[in-house]
Amino acid sequence: MMTFVTRFFAAMVAVAILAAPAFAQARLKAQITVDDDIVRLGDLVAGAGGLADRALFRAPAPGTTGVVAAQDVALAAYRAGLDLLDLAGLETITVTRANTMITRDAIASLLTFAIAEKNGDPLSSIQLVSEDLPASARHSTGGLPASITGVTIDANRGRVTATLVTHSKRGARRTPLLARLEFVDDALVLADPLARGDILKRADVVTMSVSRKMARNSLNDISDLVGMQARRAMPAGSVIRQRDIKAPTLVVRNREVLINVKRGGLTITARGEAMENGALGDVIDVMNTRSQKVLQGTVQRDGTVLVGTRGFAAPTTIRKARARRSKMDILRQTIEGEPLRGSNAARLGDLS
């Protein structure tokens, strides 16, 4: 038994056969791909003209495919205002929904590139927290590429605002973006804690990304660190700066030291006592333990002190040498930011 709908479509097909030239432009498509929530007349029918934007039914879920009966499409088209439709001998039409969702990670990547272009920073220095970004955004895979516009960076507050521009058949869509931002740089940091006076080894240092504020004035060449001595105790993870290290102490105050005195082409060796600490190249006071004379010499790589014939005016007494050494200790502690100890605190005024 034929229903009204069946008789209606049979009549439409008969009319189509008799009047093919009149509606040849309105022809059903065998398969389509859409990138919107709604399937429209123009998606399914070639030659829909001014009716192309009329909504017919909901599209399948993104990334999936569905099948719709040709007669159902014809009825929906008739209700939308299209009187004549060539079914093209089709019984069903395949409708595929494109995967048009841009993920949060993709949005974060687009935003990171836009920040790098605006700020002139390498991508590796931009750390973007994407939790504040939308979970996804719709975008037509067949349209213009998604883009980021209106980037505004507030480094002090650690945030960035911008606009995500996506596209579909119906035009551009603009989504405001707000994300937390931090600029990072590579810096040399301690892998393990160091005590004051420890000598740095290659294994003690690793390269890590830290905030740009923490990385300011840090050392980034490991060759500048290996073999140096820690001026203070530092925990693991500390960013290393020039003020944190010094050349290693080769000569220790009040310890025995070997003195080499050059006289013409001869070198005379004597035992002495260091009156101050000394690193490689430092000029320090040393006392000849036999003559009790105080001399000035340069610390050598092997830990000896070389006293030359020029440029080293020695104090005449041990008392004067020790007084000068005390003043130098005060000056060094002041420059390095160390707390003054003992009588040095009371004698700070002697330096003025």
Side-chain angles (χ1 to χ4, degrees), residues 6 67 80-81 88 100 181 211:
T6 305
V67 176
T100 60
L181 173 73
S211 69

Side-chain angles (χ1 to χ4, degrees), residues 1 6 76 120 158 178 182 211 241 294 299:
M1 181 176 180
T6 305
L178 171 64
E182 184 176 36
S211 69
R241 297 175 174 83
V294 177
V299 178

